[in-house]
Every structure is written in C-alpha cells, then in structure tokens.
C-alpha cells in the first residue's frame, strides 16, 4: 500500500512540474515578443506629400478711394501655404490682365519653391507671401499701381520686389519708359547716369557694380518699374537686384522739375528748376594725404561709400608697407592712389638723387602691394620747384582748399573752411591720419551733395579741365 501511494504522489508532482514549466515558458516567450514590439523603432516613410499647385482662396472685394478701381483681397485657406494678397481691379482688361498674371505667377513660384524645399529637406516648409498695393494719381489723367511683394520661407530670407503699371485713367493705355522719356535714348542715358549716382549713395559699399551697370544699361525695359506721383517720378529696385541681399530694396524719387527737359510733355511740371538733369554737374576732388592709416582710412572709406563719393589718397611709402591691406582696399573701392614720397621730406631741400629715390621707391612699393602704379604725385608741404617737377613723370597736384585739419584737429572746423572757399573744380586737402578728419567728413559730404557737387578723383577732375 505504501509503495502504491508513493508512486501515485510522484505522478502528480511530475504533472505539476511539467505544467509549471510549460506555463513559465509561455510567459517568457510572450514577454519576449511583447518587449520586442514595445521597443522596436517604427519605420516611417521618408516620402512627404507635395503642396498642391492650385490653392483655394477666400476673396473680398471693396471700393477704393479712386473712381473705377476696386481692391481685391485674397487669402489662402491652407495654413501650410499662407498668403495675403491685395491688388486692384480696374475697368480696363489690358491693365487687369497684367495684374492678374502677376498674381498668378507669384502664387505659382511660391508653391513651386515650397515643393522644391520639401524635396531637398524631406520636411514641410512653411512660407509667407504678402502683396500690397499703392496707387498714385497724376495730373488727374494717369494712375500708377505699385504692387509690393514680400516673400519668405520658414520666417527667414525675406525678399521685397515690385511690379508697377502706369496707365491712362480714361482709356487704359499703359505707359512705359519709352513713352515717358519721348523715345529718346539720349534721355535714357542721362537718366541711367543719374540713377547710378543716387543708388551708390543709397547702397554705399554694399552695391555690386557689375549688377548696377547691367541693370542701368540703356534698355527701355530696364526702366519700366516706375510710378508717376504728384511731383516726382519714383523708380523701384528689387532687393538683391543691384546690391547685397541685406541691403534691401530701393526707391529713388526724382523731382519732376529736375527731369522736365527729358520728359514727355504730358508728364512735365509747370514748376521750373535752376538745376535739372541737363545742368552741368559741379565737381570737386577730395584728397587725403599721409596715409594709409589702419583705422582712420577705413572709416573715411566707409563714409565716402555712404555718399557714393570718390577720392584720391596720396600715400607715403612707409605707410603702405605697414598697411598693405588698407592700400588695396582703397583701390578695390574705386578710389585713386597718389605718390606722396616715402617719408615726407621737404623735396626742395633734397638732392636730385634723394628726390628720385623718394618718388621712385614709393611708386615701386605701391605697385608691389597693389599691382598698380600711382597716377598722380603730391610733394609734401606742397614744396615744389622746377627741378622737382622735372624729376616726376606723373602729374604734380597741389590743392585749392586747405581744411587745416592738420592744424586744428577739430572735426567741427573742417566744413567751415570748405563752405568759405568752395568752387567748381576745387581740390580739397585733408589727411587720413587724423581721427578728427574722419569724424568731420560726413558733414562735408552732406553739404557738397546739397550744393549739387559730385566728388571725383583728381585725375578725373584734370581730365575735365583738359
């Protein structure tokens, strides 16, 4: 009996152990599978859906302050492609066609660029497109519509551009630059030179001269972005069109009285002006001696750029050796370099061999540093005689206005000397080694601009006289 009970107990134990093992195994496998799915990184498709090319918009139409012109407000209903557009609707098909085509193109380029950014980055890009309208009425006969577009992607790289349409308010005839300037290419050349000078003042050293020359080349299409306002013609230039992107867009407003001689009669002003675009430009030459200086010369260059002014720098050889990069910067910014000897001696007290060494050695230094020889020479202290002149093979240039910046070292005293002695063809003496000269230059250039003077190099001034 005892053996039978023992055998029956052993079978139950075996059954229990086997069942426990099976249960535990099942639990472990379940946990393992569960954990595998729990911590496995899901795979996501890299494909991102493109934005549709045709975006639904909300429209609102309202009256404007101008008869027969209504204003359309259009906004996107897609928050990934936001835009807010405001543009006019006129009673003339030819005008509306231009406006509507511009709006259509703006939206298409906007969406296309967003989709291109998706392909490049594999993520959604959010843009922002805004178009606003400004309207001018001129002589109760013409309307000028100015559409300003501001565009950005992911709230960076904002860019501002313009579209303008000038039209006869009675018949819808669109006026372009060739009509405005009497189909006279000579008038266009005069305008191009004037706008070039003004834009250099606006952009300073941010202007890109190659772009400026291209945009202002005498082609009628290049000058069609304008508006006729009450007393001026306004020319619009897109951001990045002529200068670095950071410099922004530009508007040049030119008084109609100034443009009168080259405008079509319909656009001329009844007001007369003593100075017009045909008036001979008064010129002066700004000159700076004894540099280049590591700090002062750079400040002077920046101020000259601000006003679009050119100058001549009479450099000492020893200073060029110490400030090679500054000497190159002077040339790079379009200014002229003159020879002012090596170490500023009184040449009339030097031997012939000493004069020759002072001049030739300095010219060679300037050439070795900049790759160009100096084009003019100024003797230190203005001390010269026939012997000195005979030893110099480039023009010897003195001055007609001394600002005495070397004597007073006072930024406020420079302008009065210029005002008291200013004349057409003046050569103004200053020094780019004094901080006070750099500080006082802005007021001098502002005054010269107000008085209608153009600042040119000495060589340019001499060429005018000859």
């Amino acid at each position: 009996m005892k053996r039978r009970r023992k055998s029956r107990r052993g079978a139950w134990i075996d059954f229990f152990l086997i069942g426990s093992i099976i249960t535990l195994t099942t639990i472990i496998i379940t946990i393992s599978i569960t954990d595998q799915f729990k911590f496995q990184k899901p795979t996501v498709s890299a494909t991102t859906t493109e934005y549709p090319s045709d975006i639904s918009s909300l429209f609102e139409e309202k009256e404007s302050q101008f008869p027969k012109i209504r204003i359309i407000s259009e906004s996107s209903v897609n928050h990934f492609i936001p835009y807010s557009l405001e543009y006019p609707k006129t009673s003339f098909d030819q005008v509306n066609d231009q406006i509507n085509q511009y709006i259509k193109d703006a939206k298409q380029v906007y969406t296309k660029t967003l989709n291109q950014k998706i392909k490049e980055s594999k993520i959604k890009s959010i843009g922002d497109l805004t178009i606003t309208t400004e309207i001018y009425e001129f002589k109760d006969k013409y309307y000028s519509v100015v559409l300003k577009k501001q565009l950005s992607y992911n709230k960076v790289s904002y860019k501002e551009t313009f579209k303008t349409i000038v039209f006869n308010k009675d018949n819808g005839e669109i006026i372009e630059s060739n009509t405005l300037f009497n189909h006279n290419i000579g008038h266009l050349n005069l305008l191009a030179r004037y706008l070039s000078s003004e834009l250099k003042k606006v952009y300073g050293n941010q202007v890109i001269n190659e772009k400026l020359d291209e945009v202002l080349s005498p082609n009628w299409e290049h000058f069609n972005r304008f508006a006729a306002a009450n007393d001026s013609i306004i020319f619009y230039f897109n951001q990045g069109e002529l200068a670095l992107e950071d410099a922004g867009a530009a508007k040049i407003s030119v008084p109609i009285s100034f443009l009168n001689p080259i405008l079509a009669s319909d656009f001329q002003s009844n007001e007369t002006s003593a100075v017009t675009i045909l008036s001979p430009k008064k010129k002066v030459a700004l000159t700076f001696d004894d540099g280049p200086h590591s700090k002062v010369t750079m400040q002077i260059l920046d101020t000259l750029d601000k006003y679009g002014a050119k100058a001549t720098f009479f450099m000492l050889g020893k200073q060029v050796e110490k400030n090679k990069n500054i000497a190159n910067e002077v040339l790079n910014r379009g200014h002229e370099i003159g020879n002012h000897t090596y170490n500023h001696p009184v040449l009339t007290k030097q031997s012939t061999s000493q004069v020759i060494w002072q001049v030739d050695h300095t010219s060679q230094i300037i050439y070795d540093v900049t790759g160009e020889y100096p084009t003019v020479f100024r003797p230190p202290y203005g001390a010269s005689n026939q012997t000195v002149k005979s030893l110099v093979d480039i023009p010897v240039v003195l001055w007609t206005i001394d600002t005495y910046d070397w004597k007073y070292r006072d930024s406020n005293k420079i302008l009065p000397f210029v005002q008291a002695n200013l004349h057409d063809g003046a050569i103004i003496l200053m020094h780019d080694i004094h901080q006070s000269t750099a500080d006082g230059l802005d007021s001098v250039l502002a005054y010269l601009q107000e008085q209608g003077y153009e600042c040119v190099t000495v060589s340019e001034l001499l060429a005018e006289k000859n």
Side-chain angles (χ1 to χ4, degrees), residues 21-34:
I21 291 170
I22 292 172
T23 302
L24 287 171
T25 303
T26 302
I27 292 171
I28 291 170
I29 292 173
T30 301
I31 292 173
S32 175
I33 293 173
T34 303

Side-chain angles (χ1 to χ4, degrees), residues 4 10 35 42 56 70 94 184 200 298 306 355 395 407 457:
R4 196 176 297 133
D35 286 347
S56 298
R70 298 179 65 82
Q94 62 267 38
N184 188 321
K200 287 177 180 178
M298 286 304 299
K306 176 181 175 181
V355 171
K407 180 177 181 180
T457 65

Side-chain angles (χ1 to χ4, degrees), residues 69 205 227 283 419:
I69 293 183
N205 61 358
K283 297 182 179 181
Q419 290 173 320

Side-chain angles (χ1 to χ4, degrees), residues 179-205:
T179 300
L180 182 66
F181 295 104
N182 261 332
H183 301 271
N184 188 321
I185 199 70
H187 292 173
L188 193 62
N189 282 319
L190 286 170
L191 177 67
R193 285 198 293 270
Y194 175 78
L195 290 177
S196 177
S197 174
E198 294 302 300
L199 286 162
K200 287 177 180 178
K201 295 173 187 175
V202 171
Y203 284 126
N205 61 358

Side-chain angles (χ1 to χ4, degrees), residues 19 76 123 130 133 147 182 190 287 358 387 402:
S76 169
I123 60 172
T130 302
T133 297
L147 299 169
N182 261 332
L190 286 170
T287 64
Q358 287 282 343
T387 301
D402 190 344

Side-chain angles (χ1 to χ4, degrees), residues 251-382:
K251 292 193 299 183
I252 304 295
S253 182
V254 188
I256 288 178
S257 58
F258 180 80
L259 293 174
N260 256 347
I262 65 172
L263 289 173
S265 58
D266 245 16
F267 293 89
Q268 290 179 354
S269 168
N270 293 326
E271 296 181 9
T272 58
S273 174
V275 178
T276 72
I277 197 167
L278 296 181
S279 302
K281 192 84 172 180
K282 296 179 290 184
K283 297 182 179 181
V284 296
L286 302 176
T287 64
F288 298 91
D289 289 10
D290 298 351
H293 185 279
S294 59
K295 177 184 176 183
V296 176
T297 303
M298 286 304 299
Q299 183 178 336
I300 286 173
L301 288 174
D302 290 341
T303 305
L304 291 169
D305 283 346
K306 176 181 175 181
Y307 289 91
K310 297 305 176 189
T312 301
F313 290 78
F314 287 98
M315 298 182 179
L316 295 177
K318 66 176 185 178
Q319 289 298 109
V320 174
E321 289 176 330
K322 291 191 293 185
N323 299 289
K324 297 178 181 179
N325 59 325
I326 307 296
N328 277 299
E329 189 66 16
V330 169
L331 273 184
N332 291 340
R333 298 208 194 183
H335 304 289
E336 181 177 33
I337 292 181
N339 184 327
H340 199 43
T341 73
Y342 182 78
N343 57 5
H344 211 269
V346 179
L347 293 182
T348 53
K349 296 181 179 179
Q350 307 294 306
S351 67
T352 297
S353 61
Q354 288 173 324
V355 171
I356 292 173
W357 183 86
Q358 287 282 343
V359 176
D360 290 353
H361 185 53
T362 301
S363 289
Q364 191 60 47
I365 290 171
I366 292 172
Y367 176 80
D368 290 342
V369 169
T370 68
E372 293 189 22
Y373 285 106
T375 47
V376 284
F377 175 78
R378 174 172 285 168
Y381 312 103

Side-chain angles (χ1 to χ4, degrees), residues 386-441:
Q386 195 56 45
T387 301
V388 170
K389 291 178 182 179
S390 67
L391 298 173
V392 181
D393 58 0
I394 52 179
V396 177
V397 179
L398 299 181
W399 57 86
T400 62
I401 299 177
D402 190 344
T403 62
Y404 294 97
D405 61 333
W406 54 272
K407 180 177 181 180
Y408 295 106
R409 312 287 176 90
D410 184 342
S411 60
N412 295 318
K413 289 185 178 295
I414 299 174
L415 178 57
F417 283 110
V418 173
Q419 290 173 320
N421 301 282
L422 186 60
H423 59 275
D424 188 20
I427 300 176
I428 302 173
L429 172 64
M430 289 179 281
H431 298 76
D432 59 327
I433 57 172
H434 305 311
Q435 184 61 47
S436 55
T437 300
D439 295 339
L441 181 60

